[in-house]
Amino acid sequence: MKKSKNLTAKKSKNTALLINISVFFIYLTASVVLFGFPALLAPKTRFIGASADSTLFIWLLEWWPYALSHHLNPFMTAYMWEPQGIKSLLWINAIPGLSLLFSPVTLVFGPIVSNNVIAVISPAVSSFFAYLLIKYLTKSPLAAAFGGYFYGFSPYAFTNVDMNLYFICLIPLLIYLFFLGLDNKINKLFYIAATSICIALEFLISAEIFTTMTFFGFLSLITGLFIFKTGRRRLAGFIPYVSVSYLISFILISPFLYNMISTIRYAPKYPLSAMLYSVNLINVVIPAPIIFIGGGLFAGTGFKLMQDISYMGIFIILLLIFYMKDNLKTQAGKFLIIMFSVVFIFSLGPYLHIINVNAGLPLPWFIFYGMPLIQKAVPIRFMLYAYLFISIIVGYFVSQSSKSGKKIKIMSYSVVFLSILSIIPTQYFFESDTHTPKFFLNGVYKKYLKRGSNVLIIPFSNDGYSLAYQAETGYYFKLAGGYYDFIQGSYTRNPVFNILIGDRGVKKAGNCDKYALKYFLASHSVHYIIIIRGKMSNMANYNMYHPYESFKNLVGVLNLKPKMINGVALYNVHKRLLENKGKIYKDYVKYCKTKTLRTK
């Protein structure tokens, strides 16, 4: 009899494991279909992403394993914006957690492939951990499978092109561990160890999400203590274990915290504004261009529907209303509805916005707007937590509907399916190509560039893909350029910066252009200039253009003959051209009249 029970239990575990694996592969297949195919067809040049931030993350994926293996200080770099460099990479979302976690992929296949693997696997893993959480709460694998999808494949998840923001699997995992620990399903020491590592890893992926996760987690605990009367004592008794986990995580990340505190003067002076980046009520119900069904309906109407993150659509709102109607009196229902409402109201920001107009009506987030740390959080990104609560609500909704009559069941499942259809993204909306010339592939560059030399690559900075080229070569050369948003000093003070940034180019170069360029090269010790030849898309506005045609007149003032090699024009900047820096500076001041001109 005992043997029979053991066999039954073993079969049950094996069935559960098989279901879990099947659900994960369903999520993974959906992710590949929705996001991955173009990148899989050209893995060395195509990447999932659509902004300069994407190329920065490609660069950072390579940086951490490279810096540690070459005994360099990983917190700072002189490999971009040479010679001044960047004093603290942690202030530009350095993703050390993701870089080190996926370093085996990066070291074998390169950072672009690693970027694509993270982008494809993230929705699947995020949905899967949400599935595990919801299955534990509802005891229904089917309900959990539906609910999990709404988290990993939410508009928040697929409209964020920054991997520090879309890699969100740790949040449902932490909640899942919390319930396992609370219900004594796992050992308390195991809970503390696993939770500490997950919290630390979240900080090393995104300090912003770490902060908002902690804020809303604390808020959820307080709300839970008020609502769950029967489990209040047990919940209060578990808070010390959560506190110890946070304490240990702070010890684990202490070197990173110390670096951020000691370099706080290098923090960005202009963070994203909570006033500007708040949920606009119109965007909640009107689909933006990235949404497959209805996304193009309002194109050209004057609505600025770029806040895709906040889109829910009428069917998800309808589903929430149905759930609220039947569950407002239950403890779990009351908790989920209150927390969803709080998160959503906070996501509206300090003032109400309707159709991109500040209505002037103060909202609850105004209270937190001036507080340390949390004031820098971007309210529209709180939709991450709104969709987590939506996914749990969907799980409960499906679970309860499966026990209802046939008509109720059909209606409920119809609403769920329509909700899924309403948030399917336009396929490959965020696919880009680095247009990597053959010069940077298969070691060709080694024949023409000296290791450690400083190179000016055009298109410049955020307007091109120079960071990706540098990362793919394993930092063979340094860059007189890099990620623009956080650079100050000698670069932005030179008029040539205004010409390079935004891919403006010149039709006819004058004396100011000539001497400003010479001074730019001399003051930044540039050894080579590389201009990409052929047609490519502009990173700033996605228009197709020819970089060489735009900039050959500017570089032509140097009277250097370029070598046309494998898709690039290579200029060797001779030492004699830059020998007399004093005279170059005098000519620069004479012809440009000012040395303080800044960019747009």
Side-chain angles (χ1 to χ4, degrees), residues 452-464:
S453 57
N454 195 26
V455 182
L456 170 63
I457 296 179
I458 301 172
F460 177 72
S461 186
N462 293 12
D463 298 311

Side-chain angles (χ1 to χ4, degrees), residues 15-29 128:
T15 303
L17 180 61
L18 186 62
I19 291 171
N20 289 349
I21 293 171
S22 300
V23 168
F24 174 75
F25 276 102
I26 289 169
Y27 290 147
L28 186 60
T29 302
F128 182 71

Side-chain angles (χ1 to χ4, degrees), residues 225-257:
L225 286 171
F226 277 100
I227 291 175
F228 295 103
K229 296 177 182 178
T230 53
R232 187 178 294 165
R233 184 176 295 179
R234 191 159 55 97
L235 192 59
F238 197 70
I239 291 175
Y241 296 103
V242 179
S243 303
V244 170
S245 298
Y246 262 94
L247 179 62
I248 293 172
S249 73
F250 277 114
I251 295 169
L252 293 174
I253 62 176
S254 56
F256 300 86
L257 288 171

Side-chain angles (χ1 to χ4, degrees), residues 215-216 219-220 223 227 334-349 364-365 368 379 382-383 385-386 389:
F215 175 80
F216 285 113
L219 211 58
S220 296
T223 306
I227 291 175
K334 194 180 294 183
F335 173 82
L336 289 170
I337 292 162
I338 288 173
M339 284 309 304
F340 168 79
S341 302
V342 168
V343 170
F344 182 75
I345 290 168
F346 281 172
S347 74
L348 297 174
W365 189 249
F368 302 94
F382 300 164
M383 289 303 292
Y385 307 100
F389 286 115

Side-chain angles (χ1 to χ4, degrees), residues 252-506:
L252 293 174
I253 62 176
S254 56
F256 300 86
L257 288 171
Y258 174 77
N259 178 266
M260 292 186 77
I261 293 168
S262 63
T263 60
I264 196 167
R265 62 188 180 279
Y266 301 116
K269 299 296 187 294
Y270 306 104
L272 295 179
S273 168
M275 294 288 191
L276 184 61
Y277 290 92
S278 300
V279 168
N280 186 330
L281 278 181
I282 198 73
N283 292 126
V284 175
V285 292
I286 296 180
I290 194 173
I291 303 300
F292 181 68
I293 297 176
L297 288 177
F298 295 87
T301 60
F303 286 123
K304 294 181 180 178
L305 299 170
M306 294 309 295
Q307 295 179 338
D308 317 4
I309 294 173
S310 59
Y311 178 67
M312 289 194 293
I314 56 172
F315 292 109
I316 290 178
I317 294 171
L318 195 62
L319 190 151
L320 292 173
I321 292 170
F322 286 157
Y323 178 81
M324 188 185 303
K325 175 178 165 291
D326 295 331
N327 293 274
L328 194 55
K329 293 182 180 179
T330 66
Q331 290 184 12
K334 194 180 294 183
F335 173 82
L336 289 170
I337 292 162
I338 288 173
M339 284 309 304
F340 168 79
S341 302
V342 168
V343 170
F344 182 75
I345 290 168
F346 281 172
S347 74
L348 297 174
Y351 290 95
L352 181 66
H353 286 75
I354 303 174
I355 316 181
N356 303 303
V357 176
N358 187 338
L361 177 66
L363 296 172
W365 189 249
F366 185 83
I367 300 168
F368 302 94
Y369 185 49
M371 290 187 176
L373 296 178
I374 198 68
Q375 67 172 333
K376 296 186 182 297
V378 182
I380 195 170
R381 293 175 184 163
F382 300 164
M383 289 303 292
L384 159 64
Y385 307 100
Y387 260 99
L388 178 57
F389 286 115
I390 286 172
S391 70
I392 297 171
I393 288 170
V394 169
Y396 275 114
F397 181 75
V398 173
S399 176
Q400 292 166 4
S401 299
S402 64
K403 300 169 187 174
S404 304
K406 190 176 180 180
K407 287 185 179 179
I408 299 293
K409 193 183 292 186
I410 291 171
M411 186 183 72
S412 300
Y413 279 106
S414 297
V415 172
V416 172
F417 278 116
L418 289 170
S419 297
I420 291 172
L421 288 174
S422 70
I423 59 170
I424 289 177
T426 300
Q427 204 171 27
Y428 317 134
F429 191 86
F430 288 136
E431 294 280 357
S432 302
D433 199 307
T434 59
H435 306 279
T436 307
K438 291 181 180 178
F439 179 82
F440 292 108
L441 300 174
N442 304 319
V444 174
Y445 55 89
K446 293 179 182 178
K447 298 177 184 178
Y448 301 96
L449 305 179
K450 289 182 180 178
R451 180 179 284 278
S453 57
N454 195 26
V455 182
L456 170 63
I457 296 179
I458 301 172
F460 177 72
S461 186
N462 293 12
D463 298 311
Y465 305 90
S466 56
L467 287 174
Y469 304 155
Q470 186 190 38
E472 281 288 335
T473 64
Y475 306 101
Y476 186 83
F477 54 84
K478 296 181 179 180
L479 276 177
Y483 188 68
Y484 165 54
D485 287 1
F486 301 98
I487 192 64
Q488 302 292 330
S490 60
Y491 277 93
T492 55
R493 286 196 293 265
N494 192 304
V496 165
F497 187 88
N498 290 325
I499 298 171
L500 294 174
I501 204 78
D503 285 331
R504 291 183 176 90
V506 291

